[in-house]
Amino acid sequence: MLTVHHLGISQSERIVWLCEELEIPYELKVYERDPVTRLAPADYKALHPVGTAPIITDGDVVLPESGAIIEYIIGKYGNGRLAVAPGAKNFADYLFWFHFANASMMPRQSVRMGQPAAGEETPRARFMRERSEKAWDLVEARLGEAAYFAGDELTAADIMWGFTLTTMRYWAPVDISGKRNILAYLQKIGARPAYQRAMAKGDPGMTPMLT
Ligand SMILES: N[C@@H](CCC(=O)N[C@@H](CS)C(=O)NCC(=O)O)C(=O)O
């Protein structure tokens, strides 16, 4: 049985959302963060040496890492749904946006999370802030030219971006009030029944950060 181990307020919301979009059978196990460290609790860390969310288990398989899990589930249980085939015109767009979320945007946001809110900005911190702002601008431009990251339809690239544009701002606040296209996109995502089900199951105490 496919089991999604979801850590509260974390990237594993992506995997719950994916399973709900695909409407596949899965078991959901929700873990609360350690109240002091705000990290994953010991029983979550015991699942795999990596110790970070998301992690899935499926028979003998124990798999961490958002992108790997999404590809695994789509390939094994989704019949390729929500992926874009290599022959499609938007294949390269799909790959770029799928990977840009975790390979480039998340590290930039994570570094910003570690910066003190006040005080003088170091040159290195400024470099990361500017890179991060550039990434937000790229996303804003993309969502002005396409309905979804890979084109006309929701794909796994959107599943990768969901957390990054929403709950990640809980950890690393970003002012997106001027980003019209991102805000409109988030309303569209938030109206999806599968997204609503996922957030209600995974983080029932949290209002999704769609504004
Ligand atoms: N690139 C990894 C990042 C995983 C990650 O950093 N997860 C965070 C949650 S957003 C985590 O587990 N934090 C709690 C901890 O480190 O104990 C992925 O996408 O799976």
Side-chain angles (χ1 to χ4, degrees):
M1 177 71 173
L2 173 65
T3 302
V4 177
H5 299 268
H6 172 58
L7 174 67
I9 322 176
S10 89
Q11 305 187 45
S12 44
E13 70 179 40
R14 290 171 170 147
I15 313 305
V16 188
W17 182 23
L18 174 69
C19 292
E20 292 295 332
E21 287 286 349
L22 292 173
E23 296 185 321
I24 54 174
Y26 71 104
E27 183 194 358
L28 178 64
K29 273 195 79 178
V30 179
Y31 301 69
E32 296 302 324
R33 285 173 179 267
D34 181 292
V36 177
T37 64
R38 306 293 285 143
L39 297 176
D43 54 346
Y44 200 97
K45 295 214 171 281
L47 290 167
H48 188 283
V50 164
T52 53
I55 294 176
I56 57 163
T57 48
D58 185 25
D60 292 342
V61 172
V62 184
L63 184 64
E65 199 57 50
S66 301
I69 293 172
I70 290 173
E71 290 200 45
Y72 178 94
I73 292 178
I74 286 176
K76 188 160 178 198
Y77 294 109
N79 207 13
R81 279 180 297 144
L82 295 183
V84 171
K89 226 174 76 189
N90 59 339
F91 182 53
D93 285 333
Y94 170 70
L95 289 179
F96 170 71
W97 288 107
F98 182 100
H99 289 283
F100 189 60
N102 252 15
S104 290
M105 179 63 115
M106 286 297 293
R108 296 173 196 191
Q109 292 309 104
S110 302
V111 169
R112 289 184 80 180
M113 195 166 96
Q115 304 300 328
E120 203 180 324
E121 190 177 45
T122 63
R124 195 173 293 184
R126 193 183 72 213
F127 171 75
M128 288 315 286
R129 177 178 54 74
E130 287 174 353
R131 281 204 144 190
S132 157
E133 285 167 3
K134 185 169 184 185
W136 282 95
D137 289 344
L138 282 173
V139 170
E140 172 68 2
R142 176 60 179 165
L143 296 176
E145 66 186 18
Y148 296 96
F149 277 95
D152 296 338
E153 284 168 21
L154 183 109
T155 67
D158 300 282
I159 305 280
M160 285 297 284
W161 276 97
F163 169 85
T164 310
L165 299 180
T166 60
T167 311
M168 185 58 188
R169 287 185 288 120
Y170 173 95
W171 300 104
V174 178
D175 178 9
I176 60 165
S177 56
K179 304 251 184 286
R180 242 170 11 102
N181 300 327
I182 295 178
L183 288 167
Y185 170 82
L186 291 180
Q187 289 309 303
K188 199 162 52 185
I189 294 301
R192 295 183 73 85
Y195 179 83
Q196 291 172 0
R197 286 197 303 275
M199 296 309 287
K201 288 181 187 177
D203 288 277
M206 183 178 78
T207 304
M209 297 183 74
L210 301 168
T211 57

